[in-house]
Amino acid sequence: MATDDFYHEVHLNLNVRGLKHSATLRINEYSNQLISEGKKVYKLGLGQSPFPVPDIVVQGLINNAREKDYLPVKGLPALREAISSFYYRHWGKKYLVENIVIGPGSKELLFLLQLCYYGELIIPTPSWVSYAPQAKIIGRNIHWIATKKENFWRLTPAELDKICRHDPKKPRLLILNYPSNPTGYTYKNEELIELAAVARKYKVVLVSDEIYGMLDHKGDHHSICTHYPEGTIISGGLSKWCGAGGWRLGALAFPKSLSWLADALSVAASETFTSTSAPIQYAAVTAFEPHPEMDFYLERARKILLHLGQYCNRILNEAGINNAAPHGGFYLFPDFSNFRNKFLQHDIFDSETMCDKLLESAGVATLPGSEFGCPPSVYTLRISYVNFDGRKAIDAAVTETVDDLFIEKYCPDTLVAMKEIVKWVSAL
Ligand code: PMP
Ligand code: GLU
């Protein structure tokens, strides 16, 4: 065998063959490249909080910059206590400190969770871009459940039951994310009660990805853990509601019945990332503690996202683009099926081509529904409506009323981007 053969990519593990960088990160880097080449790009691709990390949390980081030791694998005890109290305050459920695991982002923890749990993975679609590639890297099969637009792309109890009843005893792990990335929709408490009943019937391990929970626009987030405490793992972190995606801090909270899974996951963590950055963990304690500053920050962030989400939705609706106002987070997931005939005339046969053309012609960067598990032929895309100066907006919201005028003043680029989408699709 020639030496070169040893360096050939046939030796690439099958599980990672053909995978690209995650779509969210790819669109961000591509948008930045276009901007550096002098092009105007409306960056609605990456889902990143526009708001600054609250000052009180930043101060926590400054105060702890000298913390340099490796911390316990599961995380700083004070932080795990703060998270346990946080969930108790919000949901009245006691997640034991020893069953909380901190990691460098919930993404890494979700990956290790999939690695450690041996069972069928159920993912409703559309859903976040990384769940499925993580399963592929590990070599797991996924059972997709396609949700319906008329149900706001949310899983129904009947759909879940249908999957489980074929083989009622099979171990299963379901990832439920609400408010949802990519749709912005969430579940009402009554709907969570019904889903919890099905999950309990089949003893499904339920990963409740509530990373956008504190960004429910009306501050009315409910957790399924209140209805199915024995089977719910809560996934969360600082990235979204605390504006700290780049800090990389996530947490999983396991119920007592799954403490063996928390322990197994921490073994995997000890052999991979060791422990999460010490200064970040110390600073994060403040974020999970009750502080009026945090409440006021969240109140303003939610108001801005609510009004902006509704405004953007209106612009799209008025042009015949199908969508409903989001409930939380900072995403919209419009459906352009009304324009199908026009698209076909322009050789736009799938959502990926639709997004490519939108970027090329109108300079608006978004992600196609196909990246979220929707059939490519369905003309959906994800808009991350965060291309505004979040610091300016959240500071202004201290004294100014958040209404349409406020949105026009502080989020003009986002509104222009919506109008550019409308202009593009109307002119086809
Ligand atoms: N879940 C969802 C639904 C997300 O959108 C993201 C993206 N940030 C994550 C999990 C992972 O977040 P992080 O790793 O920053 O905690
Ligand atoms: N979750 C964000 C998104 O969906 C970006 C970060 C990531 O994917 O890791 O755009």
Side-chain angles (χ1 to χ4, degrees):
M1 198 191 275
T3 316
D4 277 354
D5 290 345
F6 286 105
Y7 298 111
H8 197 276
E9 67 180 359
V10 290
H11 299 296
L12 202 55
N13 184 322
L14 272 181
N15 292 358
V16 294
R17 234 179 254 186
L19 288 182
K20 297 187 204 152
H21 272 191
S22 190
T24 55
L25 308 170
R26 223 164 57 228
I27 187 70
N28 193 42
E29 288 174 21
Y30 185 49
S31 304
N32 288 342
Q33 183 198 320
L34 292 176
I35 291 168
S36 73
E37 288 165 6
K39 305 210 167 75
K40 171 77 190 160
V41 176
Y42 299 94
K43 288 180 66 181
L44 310 181
L46 180 72
Q48 160 159 279
S49 166
F51 303 115
V53 180
D55 287 343
I56 183 174
V57 182
V58 171
Q59 194 54 49
L61 184 58
I62 293 169
N63 296 346
N64 288 286
R66 291 201 167 79
E67 292 295 342
K68 60 175 242 332
D69 289 345
Y70 290 117
L71 291 177
V73 176
K74 281 189 181 169
L76 179 71
L79 175 58
R80 288 187 285 143
E81 263 160 39
I83 294 176
S84 173
S85 307
F86 179 88
Y87 288 139
Y88 189 70
R89 260 197 330 277
H90 284 277
W91 316 127
K93 295 287 164 210
K94 190 82 200 142
Y95 279 87
L96 299 176
V97 170
E98 60 265 33
N99 288 337
I100 293 179
V101 185
I102 311 297
S106 61
K107 192 179 200 169
E108 182 64 27
L109 293 172
L110 291 168
F111 177 71
L112 293 184
L113 183 63
Q114 289 195 32
L115 181 81
C116 293
Y117 184 77
Y118 193 78
E120 182 178 69
L121 180 65
I122 306 177
I123 307 179
T125 61
S127 61
W128 179 46
V129 294
S130 288
Y131 302 134
Q134 288 192 343
K136 181 167 189 308
I137 291 169
I138 295 165
R140 282 287 150 72
N141 283 331
I142 297 165
H143 201 128
W144 299 104
I145 311 185
T147 61
K148 299 196 174 73
K149 192 176 73 184
E150 53 272 30
N151 295 330
F152 294 88
W153 305 110
R154 292 165 317 159
L155 181 66
T156 65
E159 286 162 347
L160 181 59
D161 196 282
K162 193 167 164 210
I163 295 278
C164 298
R165 71 172 170 254
H166 288 303
D167 187 352
K169 296 227 157 74
K170 196 172 190 174
R172 293 184 169 92
L173 189 127
L174 164 70
I175 305 184
L176 203 64
N177 162 231
Y178 55 100
S180 154
N181 175 5
T183 67
Y185 303 135
T186 195
Y187 294 92
K188 292 195 189 107
N189 200 30
E190 308 84 83
E191 292 161 337
L192 292 175
I193 291 173
E194 289 178 20
L195 281 170
V198 180
R200 173 172 291 124
K201 181 167 154 197
Y202 298 104
K203 297 196 166 42
V204 174
V205 173
L206 208 155
V207 180
S208 186
D209 184 344
E210 302 180 34
I211 194 142
Y212 300 94
M214 292 298 113
L215 290 182
D216 179 288
H217 293 165
K218 304 219 162 123
D220 194 27
H221 177 66
H222 294 274
S223 173
I224 198 162
C225 81
T226 54
H227 312 302
Y228 183 41
E230 72 278 20
T232 302
I233 301 166
I234 306 181
S235 180
L238 290 188
S239 297
K240 310 300 174 182
W241 57 272
C242 201
W247 283 26
R248 310 307 301 127
L249 186 125
L252 292 181
F254 294 78
K256 263 192 231 136
S257 47
L258 294 172
S259 57
W260 52 272
L261 191 51
D263 291 343
L265 190 141
S266 81
V267 170
S270 78
E271 298 293 11
T272 50
F273 63 80
T274 305
S275 60
T276 304
S277 158
I280 298 290
Q281 290 202 59
Y282 279 96
V285 175
T286 314
F288 286 97
E289 284 172 347
H291 289 287
E293 290 95 318
M294 286 303 297
D295 293 342
F296 188 41
Y297 169 94
L298 279 173
E299 199 185 299
R300 286 175 288 150
R302 286 173 187 144
K303 258 193 225 160
I304 295 166
L305 295 175
L306 167 80
H307 284 272
L308 179 56
Q310 294 195 342
Y311 202 142
C312 292
N313 182 56
R314 264 195 326 267
I315 295 176
L316 299 177
N317 285 171
E318 279 161 17
I321 300 164
N322 207 312
N323 196 61
H327 307 139
F330 32 71
Y331 303 111
L332 300 171
F333 196 67
D335 179 354
F336 289 71
S337 299
N338 288 345
F339 299 87
R340 185 180 176 75
N341 289 340
K342 276 189 177 190
F343 285 153
L344 296 178
Q345 283 163 21
H346 288 81
D347 294 340
I348 301 175
F349 299 116
D350 54 39
S351 58
E352 190 176 343
T353 317
M354 172 175 76
C355 287
D356 287 349
K357 297 258 183 194
L358 177 61
L359 179 55
E360 217 173 86
S361 317
V364 183
T366 59
L367 281 176
S370 53
E371 292 288 358
F372 300 87
C374 274
S377 59
V378 178
Y379 293 111
T380 49
L381 56 77
R382 186 190 81 173
I383 288 171
S384 180
Y385 58 89
V386 293
N387 63 330
F388 60 94
D389 185 337
R391 177 179 292 281
K392 228 170 157 182
I394 205 162
D395 284 350
V398 172
T399 51
E400 296 178 42
T401 308
V402 180
D403 54 13
D404 285 355
L405 281 177
F406 179 101
I407 296 301
E408 285 161 13
K409 188 165 163 196
Y410 293 103
C411 316
D413 251 22
T414 319
L415 299 180
V416 174
M418 294 306 128
K419 289 175 191 157
E420 287 296 323
I421 295 174
V422 166
K423 230 197 290 171
W424 172 72
V425 81
S426 312
L428 274 177

